[in-house]
Amino acid sequence: MPTYKAPVADMLFVLHDVLSLGTGAVPGYEDLDRDTTAAILGEAAKLAQEVLAPLNRTGDRQGCVLDKGMVRTPDGFRAAFDQLRAGGWPALDCDPAYGGQGLPYLLATAVGEMFSSANMAFNMYQGLTHGACSAIHAHGTEAQKALYLPRLVRCDWTGTMNLTEPQCGTDLGLMRTRADPQADGSYRITGQKIFISAGDHDLAENVVHLVLAKIPGGPEGTRGVSLFIVPKFLPDAEGRPGARNALSVGKLEEKMGIHGNATCVMDYDGATGFLLGEAHKGMRAMFTMMNEARIGVGLQGYAQAAVASQAAVAYARERLQGRAPRGAANLQGAADPLIVHPDIRRLLMDQKSFVEGARAFTFWGAQLIDEAERLPDPAAQGLVSLLTPVIKGFLTDRGFDATVAAQQVFGGHGYIEDSGMPQFVRDARIAMIYEGTNGVQALDLVSRKLGAEGGRPIRALFDRIDRLVVPQIGQDAAWDAEFLIPLQTATADLRAAALFFLDHAATAPEEVLAGSTDFLHLAGHVGLGYMWLRMAQAAREALAAGRGDPEFLTAKLATGRYYMARQLPLTRAHLARIKSGASPVMALDATAF
Amino acid sequence: MPTYKAPVADMLFVLHDVLSLGTGAVPGYEDLDRDTTAAILGEAAKLAQEVLAPLNRTGDRQGCVLDKGMVRTPDGFRAAFDQLRAGGWPALDCDPAYGGQGLPYLLATAVGEMFSSANMAFNMYQGLTHGACSAIHAHGTEAQKALYLPRLVRCDWTGTMNLTEPQCGTDLGLMRTRADPQADGSYRITGQKIFISAGDHDLAENVVHLVLAKIPGGPEGTRGVSLFIVPKFLPDAEGRPGARNALSVGKLEEKMGIHGNATCVMDYDGATGFLLGEAHKGMRAMFTMMNEARIGVGLQGYAQAAVASQAAVAYARERLQGRAPRGAANLQGAADPLIVHPDIRRLLMDQKSFVEGARAFTFWGAQLIDEAERLPDPAAQGLVSLLTPVIKGFLTDRGFDATVAAQQVFGGHGYIEDSGMPQFVRDARIAMIYEGTNGVQALDLVSRKLGAEGGRPIRALFDRIDRLVVPQIGQDAAWDAEFLIPLQTATADLRAAALFFLDHAATAPEEVLAGSTDFLHLAGHVGLGYMWLRMAQAAREALAAGRGDPEFLTAKLATGRYYMARQLPLTRAHLARIKSGASPVMALDATAF
């Protein structure tokens, strides 16, 4: 069974050496010197390694059980959730006014990666709660905030998002769930919601459902959708769980993975709900949860690759098979370990260069969210809005590939469930789908985010890259060839793709949409390339200054070189596809498939 | 639950319009006119659609059960196997001297695709038997052939391959299973074999294990490995299953997929075995099975994509979500079907262009095997040896991707096991691993096949492409741009990669090995591009001559254009990676991961 070792040193490098946590103007950052961060991450690592990771396989094998209308989570989940709560982990970045610790979202993201690597299905219970907190914090009345937030911040109660219905997923305008206004200002919610993660369980005393529904007589389509707070137990006057609300779990879905998380069909039979935010403005409120959730899902994508990759490295070091091409490396053994073989190295370097790049990219996104919220900085807001679909879509697509690559290192043993590798693959698969499929992320990117504010965010991204690259060029031929030119070339491909889209957006939307996923991947490679240059530069400077562990820093540089040499050439192929336009994609009649 | 519709029209097009079955010099081809082939494929389609496909999900859910030392297959498998046998399908291309029908391997390949799409786990029982037949046919004594072949050809008995042991997979030199010679000329086989597909079951009256083992005192490593026939029941004087041999199923593996096939740990406790072929020449005999098995596995890779893709198309036509970018397509409905969306089209066209290209490529490989065996043609033998690892590795890697893409079309519903889509993905995953991982295929390609016969096979491939492309260039600008130039460009990339390897093979093997998988994919794209040009040309000629269904032929051309425009640009990225050499791949110390 795979074990998990939290990558604390890698995280500290990104947080402090690359993103300069502990310095700068962001409120909440200034107290976080390296020792403080290390202490927090070290505690989180213990919980992840010693409590959550050992439950991962149990969660997969046992799954959740629906028994007399109640969901029972796998053995050990309840005790682990108590430990999570006791450590105050769910409150890390929450508002101190409601019991939170007020630490940066950036730090919560680092901790979230560990918990997600250790046990993705388990961590979703608190992850969704965090999203519900954010939505109520942003859109709730003072009374709603006072009632729900302290309980959600502590995870005494947990939260859910209820969007999907059998006939409607992405297209929420097709929604049928109804919210009938009552004399006391509440609403009666009637309808069925599906795919509700953490929809019910035995880990907390109450479940607070945030439910999208239509108030009769409102506008058509998504403009008529409102958001409601629908608790499983209606809070009494003291805010304790009181009467059972008229909602029930219709079914637990049998899924490909994340078996430890209860994916519920939720039936609302005239349940009492309370409007959250304005009537008919539910989509906006829901997007407060959604954007955060999308970054969280991007994180899941690479977090599974991270833990799977650790297992692959361990196996490659241990398993003896064949001899190294440059001569036997393990003379006393009957064979050499797998890791001597170049094609195994390729698999491992693909994983390593992706995971470390993805971590830096996600952490940067989290930092932009902190800057947007805590400074506040509208430019940071625009940039992270642009990057959110890239973080979600690119990191989950490539994270799945990297998890499959980790499984591949095991040969036949990786296909056996006891190895733990199939679970990583099966769990990682959902991240490409939920919170908006990756196709929807690509659509969001090219049809909303790319042209937002007249294109200011994408120009801001290009400016940041140019400001980093251009002044350095021509000083060191190796540095130019290994880092600067590859990133500049890839960025030029992204610019060309953006221009192609701007030329066609108004007149030929299909030309844009046919290349949307390629654009998302192109942007993802540029994003990871940019972060690799930043990491390489930080490593190089630390080495020159004699700071840090030279082996660690040298490995960073080597891993960065790999990403530049072996991944960035893909941008050219993505651009070629984009430029081939809509006609190859749309040529066939729907009947001709 | 997905249904399956065998692609008979597509197969007939490849067999007759592209590969000219029914004409030419290959013995066994001349009687197969289009009507005869259509009749045979039509019968196979019925069995696949009506009997095998409906059992696919049952096989996945029930799996196999080890009960009192005997393996029980899922409900319905036994009756289906009887029907398979009664139809004579396992005997299709076998030697008439032993009860076979003597039809081409090409035709058996087409039928095999249908059976594999319909129920991959089920079809493996006969697939492995076919491999055992081939090995005994090639290496057995007359007595062995007379005893085993008629029974295996009919699938009254089935076969297995026993290579892997707990400590050795790819590196068979580490093998420990022992074969002690007995006075009567037989051997006593002692050891444990793992991952034995179809190792035991209730579908046939006997199981004939082909087991690799070492005769004590023989040479070290793989040069000391011999192959043995080890039947579950020792045949009596009349060739009926007699005394139980000293072998048993130690365990059934719990796997990620192909649950309907029994993957056994086999324990040999002094079991009676009979030498097959020469002592210490077991590897050669095993490779007779292995090459055939590798093409069969490549076929599995795209066969799962084929059936998953059918389900994705059906879902995309039916599921309503959003509106077409060029204006509503389904005015009377609340939304348009998914298939109007360009990014959904991209997913479907990726699948379609891959599956049809893969089918043509595999069928061409099967035709080369027929030419090599029936003419015999050593050039065909060399070419198919070169292509075998490409068929196995490229088609299973990309087939898995295409199956994942099909699942993606379903959104959240694709993650639910009842949709059937997770099973396709879980089943397809094994094809990248077994019969030699895809990394081993890449190694075989660059270190053995590329330089074989002084490079004659790869030159023969280039010659065939040049002879097809060069004379046509300059006659039709659209044809040039859409088909000829993209293939010529991709082929130039493959040539450059081959030259790079030839330059480095002797002096710097790591330079070659670090790019092996990229070379395999580069070759795969060129292979599919070549087949797409052949298909497009056949379609164009048929259209010009007024032959065939114009809609079908027009769709072929459009699908070919898609492959050329959207897949072939990847060859440049593969070449760039190859040329980046070994240093990015091998830079890190094994301890630095």
Side-chain angles (χ1 to χ4, degrees):
Chain A
M1 213 174 67
T3 55
Y4 173 61
K5 179 88 170 56
V8 175
D10 283 89
M11 288 182 172
L12 290 173
F13 174 75
V14 175
L15 292 172
H16 291 280
D17 295 299
V18 181
L19 299 178
S20 306
L21 183 63
T23 65
V26 186
Y29 276 43
E30 60 286 302
D31 301 332
L32 288 167
D33 59 29
R34 202 176 192 112
D35 289 346
T36 308
T37 317
I40 296 170
L41 294 183
E43 285 303 309
K46 271 190 218 167
L47 185 69
Q49 293 165 187
E50 295 165 19
V51 179
L52 307 190
L55 288 174
N56 194 42
R57 185 102 180 85
T58 311
D60 186 58
R61 294 188 70 99
Q62 291 190 357
C64 293
V65 178
L66 182 61
D67 185 14
K68 302 192 190 87
M70 306 277 290
V71 172
R72 202 168 59 236
T73 56
D75 291 349
F77 270 41
R78 170 111 209 198
F81 206 72
D82 286 342
Q83 278 188 262
L84 182 83
R85 217 170 355 219
W89 295 109
L92 205 66
D93 65 323
C94 295
D95 185 346
Y98 301 100
Q101 299 184 39
L103 288 164
Y105 179 65
L106 174 55
L107 197 67
T109 300
V111 170
E113 182 199 313
M114 292 184 194
F115 292 172
S116 193
S117 283
N119 196 324
M120 175 168 160
F122 176 89
N123 196 50
M124 289 170 66
Y125 292 100
Q126 74 144 330
L128 287 154
T129 306
H130 195 282
C133 269
S134 301
I136 293 174
H137 195 272
H139 303 284
T141 62
E142 288 308 315
Q144 286 172 336
K145 291 199 264 188
L147 173 59
Y148 291 102
L149 289 182
R151 291 161 179 89
L152 290 169
V153 161
R154 287 193 303 267
C155 269
D156 287 343
W157 298 2
T158 68
T160 73
M161 290 168 66
N162 284 238
L163 289 78
T164 306
E165 300 180 5
Q167 78 293 347
C168 92
T170 300
D171 187 354
L172 292 169
L174 303 174
M175 185 173 295
R176 291 188 194 138
T177 297
R178 218 173 62 231
D180 293 301
Q182 304 297 299
D184 64 357
S186 71
Y187 291 79
R188 285 173 69 87
I189 311 293
T190 309
Q192 188 179 67
K193 294 287 181 177
I194 64 170
F195 302 155
I196 309 308
S197 297
D200 194 47
H201 54 80
D202 52 8
L203 304 177
E205 59 186 11
N206 205 358
V207 180
V208 178
H209 299 285
L210 296 194
V211 181
L212 282 181
K214 284 183 169 173
I215 303 170
E220 285 292 300
T222 54
R223 275 183 296 261
V225 165
S226 308
L227 186 60
F228 298 89
I229 301 174
V230 190
K232 175 179 174 185
F233 295 102
L234 293 163
D236 66 15
E238 282 76 43
R240 289 178 306 222
R244 183 71 152 89
N245 206 347
L247 58 91
S248 58
V249 179
K251 187 185 166 191
L252 270 186
E253 301 288 2
E254 191 200 334
K255 310 182 301 290
M256 184 177 180
I258 52 167
H259 295 158
N261 199 278
T263 305
C264 300
V265 173
M266 295 300 305
D267 291 319
Y268 295 91
D269 302 309
T272 300
F274 309 99
L275 184 66
L276 177 60
E278 292 177 56
H280 314 312
K281 299 283 169 66
M283 292 301 288
R284 208 174 55 185
M286 191 51 96
F287 267 101
T288 305
M289 292 177 77
M290 192 75 99
N291 276 329
E292 182 184 310
R294 285 178 174 176
I295 290 182
V297 172
L299 182 150
Q300 288 180 330
Y302 82 80
Q304 287 306 293
V307 62
S309 173
Q310 289 185 0
V313 167
Y315 190 80
R317 284 198 183 118
E318 182 190 290
R319 173 82 171 174
L320 303 183
Q321 204 86 184
R323 287 295 185 188
R326 48 174 110 154
N330 172 33
L331 277 170
Q332 67 277 39
D336 289 341
L338 281 181
I339 203 166
V340 304
H341 298 295
D343 194 64
I344 294 288
R345 282 297 180 102
R346 172 194 63 83
L347 286 168
L348 296 178
M349 289 301 293
D350 276 351
Q351 295 161 50
K352 185 176 173 65
S353 65
F354 165 74
V355 166
E356 294 177 15
R359 174 179 298 128
F361 191 48
T362 305
F363 284 16
W364 180 44
Q367 184 178 45
L368 289 169
I369 287 181
D370 283 331
E371 288 172 7
E373 289 185 359
R374 290 168 184 242
L375 285 178
D377 177 350
Q381 179 60 55
L383 196 48
V384 76
S385 290
L386 176 76
L387 296 179
T388 296
V390 183
I391 290 173
K392 197 281 183 184
F394 183 70
L395 300 193
T396 61
D397 275 354
R398 304 292 292 190
F400 179 73
D401 292 345
T403 309
V404 169
Q407 182 187 29
Q408 190 70 13
V409 172
F410 280 71
H413 297 274
Y415 198 64
I416 306 299
E417 287 286 353
D418 272 342
S419 73
M421 302 310 286
Q423 182 188 354
F424 294 139
V425 171
R426 291 186 287 97
D427 286 359
R429 181 68 184 89
I430 188 59
M432 296 159 71
I433 297 172
Y434 63 14
E435 307 306 342
T437 63
N438 287 356
V440 170
Q441 304 303 319
L443 178 69
D444 177 49
L445 177 64
V446 300
S447 64
R448 273 195 292 266
K449 303 300 177 60
L450 188 57
E453 305 175 50
R456 189 197 307 254
I458 186 102
R459 285 201 310 275
L461 177 67
F462 291 138
D463 283 351
R464 284 182 186 237
I465 296 173
D466 288 345
R467 284 205 308 270
L468 184 67
V469 172
V470 174
Q472 299 189 51
I473 284 187
Q475 296 171 23
D476 176 341
W479 188 250
D480 286 357
E482 290 167 356
F483 287 98
L484 303 181
I485 304 297
L487 179 59
Q488 204 168 41
T489 307
T491 308
D493 290 341
L494 184 63
R495 265 199 182 93
L499 275 178
F500 179 87
F501 283 172
L502 291 174
D503 283 350
H504 291 91
T507 53
E510 285 187 350
E511 296 289 328
V512 177
L513 298 170
S516 58
T517 290
D518 283 290
F519 188 81
L520 184 145
H521 278 253
L522 212 176
H525 280 299
V526 169
L528 262 62
Y530 171 60
M531 296 313 297
W532 266 118
L533 176 56
R534 291 178 65 179
M535 287 194 279
Q537 198 173 357
R540 193 189 193 210
E541 287 168 8
L543 275 170
R547 276 186 284 110
D549 172 3
E551 275 183 44
F552 175 90
L553 297 167
T554 309
K556 279 281 172 237
L557 281 162
T559 310
R561 281 186 203 104
Y562 183 91
Y563 197 88
M564 297 294 183
R566 308 243 339 163
Q567 296 300 334
L568 284 194
L570 286 167
T571 61
R572 190 53 50 94
H574 289 301
L575 178 61
R577 284 178 175 173
I578 288 167
K579 286 190 164 173
S580 75
S583 104
V585 177
M586 303 304 290
L588 285 190
D589 277 345
T591 53
F593 280 89
Chain B
M1 212 174 68
T3 55
Y4 174 63
K5 178 89 171 58
V8 175
D10 283 88
M11 288 181 171
L12 289 173
F13 173 75
V14 176
L15 293 172
H16 291 281
D17 296 298
V18 181
L19 299 178
S20 308
L21 184 63
T23 65
V26 186
Y29 277 42
E30 59 288 302
D31 300 332
L32 288 167
D33 60 29
R34 203 177 191 111
D35 289 345
T36 309
T37 318
I40 296 170
L41 293 183
E43 285 304 309
K46 270 191 220 165
L47 185 68
Q49 294 166 186
E50 295 166 18
V51 179
L52 307 190
L55 288 175
N56 193 43
R57 186 103 179 83
T58 311
D60 185 58
R61 294 187 70 101
Q62 291 190 358
C64 293
V65 178
L66 182 61
D67 185 14
K68 303 190 189 92
M70 305 277 290
V71 172
R72 203 168 58 236
T73 57
D75 290 350
F77 270 41
R78 171 111 208 195
F81 206 72
D82 287 342
Q83 279 189 261
L84 182 84
R85 218 170 354 219
W89 295 108
L92 206 62
D93 65 323
C94 295
D95 185 346
Y98 301 100
Q101 299 183 38
L103 288 164
Y105 179 64
L106 174 55
L107 197 67
T109 300
V111 171
E113 182 198 316
M114 292 184 193
F115 293 171
S116 193
S117 283
N119 197 325
M120 175 168 160
F122 176 89
N123 196 49
M124 289 170 66
Y125 292 101
Q126 74 144 331
L128 288 154
T129 306
H130 195 280
C133 270
S134 301
I136 293 173
H137 195 271
H139 304 284
T141 63
E142 288 309 315
Q144 286 172 335
K145 291 199 264 188
L147 174 58
Y148 292 102
L149 288 182
R151 291 160 178 90
L152 290 169
V153 161
R154 286 193 305 268
C155 269
D156 287 342
W157 299 0
T158 67
T160 72
M161 290 168 66
N162 286 237
L163 289 78
T164 306
E165 300 180 6
Q167 79 293 344
C168 93
T170 300
D171 186 354
L172 291 169
L174 303 174
M175 185 174 296
R176 292 188 194 137
T177 297
R178 220 174 61 232
D180 294 301
Q182 303 298 300
D184 65 356
S186 72
Y187 290 79
R188 287 172 68 88
I189 312 291
T190 309
Q192 188 179 65
K193 295 286 181 177
I194 64 170
F195 303 157
I196 308 309
S197 297
D200 194 47
H201 54 80
D202 52 8
L203 304 178
E205 60 187 11
N206 204 358
V207 181
V208 179
H209 300 284
L210 297 194
V211 181
L212 282 181
K214 285 183 171 175
I215 302 170
E220 285 291 300
T222 54
R223 275 182 297 261
V225 165
S226 308
L227 186 60
F228 298 89
I229 302 175
V230 190
K232 176 178 172 185
F233 295 103
L234 293 164
D236 67 14
E238 281 77 44
R240 286 178 308 225
R244 184 72 152 88
N245 206 347
L247 58 91
S248 58
V249 179
K251 186 185 166 192
L252 271 186
E253 301 288 1
E254 190 200 333
K255 309 181 300 292
M256 184 177 180
I258 51 166
H259 295 157
N261 199 278
T263 304
C264 300
V265 173
M266 295 301 305
D267 292 319
Y268 295 91
D269 303 308
T272 300
F274 309 100
L275 184 66
L276 177 60
E278 292 176 57
H280 314 312
K281 298 283 168 66
M283 293 300 289
R284 207 174 56 185
M286 192 48 98
F287 268 101
T288 306
M289 292 177 77
M290 192 76 98
N291 276 329
E292 181 186 310
R294 285 178 174 175
I295 289 181
V297 173
L299 182 150
Q300 288 180 332
Y302 82 80
Q304 287 306 293
V307 63
S309 173
Q310 289 185 0
V313 167
Y315 189 80
R317 283 198 184 119
E318 182 188 290
R319 172 81 172 174
L320 303 183
Q321 204 86 187
R323 288 295 186 188
R326 48 174 109 153
N330 172 33
L331 277 170
Q332 67 278 39
D336 288 341
L338 281 181
I339 202 166
V340 303
H341 298 294
D343 193 64
I344 294 288
R345 282 296 180 104
R346 173 192 63 83
L347 285 168
L348 296 178
M349 290 300 293
D350 277 350
Q351 296 160 51
K352 184 177 173 64
S353 64
F354 165 73
V355 167
E356 294 177 14
R359 176 179 297 129
F361 191 48
T362 305
F363 284 16
W364 180 45
Q367 184 178 44
L368 289 169
I369 287 180
D370 283 331
E371 289 172 6
E373 290 186 0
R374 291 167 184 244
L375 284 177
D377 177 350
Q381 180 60 53
L383 196 48
V384 76
S385 290
L386 176 75
L387 297 180
T388 296
V390 182
I391 290 173
K392 196 284 183 182
F394 184 70
L395 300 192
T396 60
D397 275 354
R398 304 293 291 190
F400 179 73
D401 292 346
T403 309
V404 169
Q407 182 187 30
Q408 190 71 11
V409 172
F410 280 71
H413 297 274
Y415 198 63
I416 306 298
E417 287 286 355
D418 273 341
S419 72
M421 303 309 287
Q423 183 187 353
F424 294 138
V425 172
R426 292 186 285 96
D427 287 359
R429 181 67 184 89
I430 188 59
M432 296 158 71
I433 299 173
Y434 63 12
E435 306 309 340
T437 63
N438 287 356
V440 169
Q441 305 303 320
L443 178 70
D444 177 49
L445 178 64
V446 301
S447 64
R448 273 195 291 264
K449 304 299 176 64
L450 188 56
E453 303 175 52
R456 189 198 306 256
I458 185 103
R459 284 200 311 274
L461 177 66
F462 291 138
D463 282 351
R464 283 182 186 238
I465 295 173
D466 289 346
R467 283 203 309 269
L468 184 66
V469 171
V470 174
Q472 301 189 49
I473 284 189
Q475 296 172 22
D476 176 340
W479 189 249
D480 285 359
E482 290 167 356
F483 287 97
L484 303 181
I485 303 297
L487 179 59
Q488 204 169 41
T489 307
T491 308
D493 289 341
L494 184 63
R495 265 200 182 91
L499 275 179
F500 179 87
F501 283 171
L502 291 175
D503 282 350
H504 291 90
T507 52
E510 285 187 351
E511 297 289 329
V512 177
L513 298 171
S516 58
T517 290
D518 283 290
F519 189 82
L520 183 145
H521 277 254
L522 212 176
H525 281 299
V526 169
L528 262 62
Y530 171 60
M531 295 314 297
W532 266 118
L533 176 56
R534 291 178 66 179
M535 288 193 279
Q537 197 172 358
R540 195 188 191 208
E541 286 168 8
L543 275 170
R547 276 187 284 110
D549 172 4
E551 276 184 44
F552 175 90
L553 297 166
T554 308
K556 277 284 172 236
L557 281 162
T559 309
R561 281 186 203 104
Y562 183 90
Y563 197 87
M564 297 293 182
R566 309 243 338 163
Q567 296 300 335
L568 284 195
L570 286 167
T571 60
R572 189 55 50 94
H574 288 300
L575 178 62
R577 284 179 174 173
I578 289 167
K579 286 189 163 172
S580 75
S583 105
V585 177
M586 302 303 290
L588 285 189
D589 276 346
T591 54
F593 280 88

